[in-house]
Amino acid sequence: MKRRPVIATLLLLFAFTATARDDRPRGTAGIFDYYVLSLSWSPEYCATTRRDDELQCARPYAFVAHGLWPQNERGWPQDCESRERVPDATINRLLPIMPSKGLIIHEWRKHGTCSGLGADGYFAALERSYRAIRIPDRYQRLPQTLTVDAARLRSDLLQANPALRSDGVVLQCAGRYLQEVRICLDRSLSPRACGRDLRNRCGDSLVLRPVR
């Protein structure tokens, strides 16, 4: 009988904590420090999470635009309040570099709404930053699996893009397989160093699945 007040108190505390967590603001549009341009290695996505009806996996894409993410020196804003939808014309324009309508809409809702830009302005910035990066020929047409030193991949990218900073490029892997290259840009889309909470997630050697 004596346990009931204790249990009731704990349940009330849990409910209050959950409510407080849900009510916290997730981000304020336009308040962030810099951008992260995420380039996804499409063959890895298609090998691990493929959906047969997706345009992305029906064509031989190499690096595609995953997103342009507002970022803070520590952490990032997301899901900022907005009722704006991505126009169909914008989606169609982006499909050659970001080949998934679902991804485009998701990236706007989660990240683009926090940019302080409208959907057209945000995706124009994404497209401009993506097209400013030169992908070395070696990684554009890859007919077979490639094992490469992580240092070599970073060096190749830096040599092809002299304006990039060595501390502004980070690699993301799942096990030994390359998933993404993330490039840090200031709010004017010029290269800069990444914040301290962005780290390389690859070992010394990594594997790129072939482009097919």
Side-chain angles (χ1 to χ4, degrees), residues 18-40:
T19 302
R21 184 182 300 115
D22 291 341
D23 289 344
R24 289 182 302 178
R26 295 184 177 184
T28 302
I31 306 299
F32 62 96
D33 296 323
Y34 66 101
Y35 286 111
V36 175
L37 173 65
S38 176
L39 305 179
S40 173

Side-chain angles (χ1 to χ4, degrees), residues 11-174:
L11 290 174
L12 181 61
L13 178 61
F14 175 80
F16 174 79
T17 302
T19 302
R21 184 182 300 115
D22 291 341
D23 289 344
R24 289 182 302 178
R26 295 184 177 184
T28 302
I31 306 299
F32 62 96
D33 296 323
Y34 66 101
Y35 286 111
V36 175
L37 173 65
S38 176
L39 305 179
S40 173
W41 184 246
S42 184
E44 181 62 23
Y45 166 78
C46 293
T48 56
T49 57
R50 177 172 180 169
R51 300 174 186 174
D52 290 337
D53 61 346
E54 281 205 358
L55 170 65
Q56 178 174 347
C57 298
R59 298 185 180 182
Y61 290 102
F63 281 111
V64 297
H66 181 169
L68 182 68
W69 305 334
Q71 183 83 14
N72 292 320
E73 298 298 338
R74 286 187 177 276
W76 59 89
Q78 65 181 44
D79 301 309
C80 295
E81 185 175 355
S82 175
R83 295 184 179 180
E84 184 176 359
R85 301 179 64 181
V86 185
D88 288 341
T90 300
I91 292 174
N92 291 334
R93 189 185 77 245
L94 287 167
L95 286 174
I97 67 169
M98 197 176 188
S100 168
K101 180 178 179 179
L103 174 63
I104 293 169
I105 294 171
H106 168 80
E107 289 297 303
W108 164 247
R109 290 174 177 170
K110 184 173 181 179
H111 300 287
T113 54
C114 296
S115 67
L117 306 172
D120 281 339
Y122 168 72
F123 284 112
L126 184 153
E127 187 174 11
R128 187 164 67 252
S129 59
Y130 174 85
R131 296 194 183 282
I133 301 299
R134 182 180 179 279
I135 302 300
D137 292 342
R138 183 184 193 189
Y139 306 105
Q140 293 188 34
R141 299 176 182 86
L142 198 62
Q144 58 189 16
T145 300
L146 174 66
T147 300
V148 63
D149 290 342
R152 170 68 187 276
L153 173 57
R154 287 170 53 83
S155 175
D156 289 343
L157 288 168
L158 292 170
Q159 287 183 15
N161 300 275
L164 293 183
R165 297 176 50 138
S166 60
D167 56 1
V169 177
V170 296
L171 309 179
Q172 304 291 301
C173 289

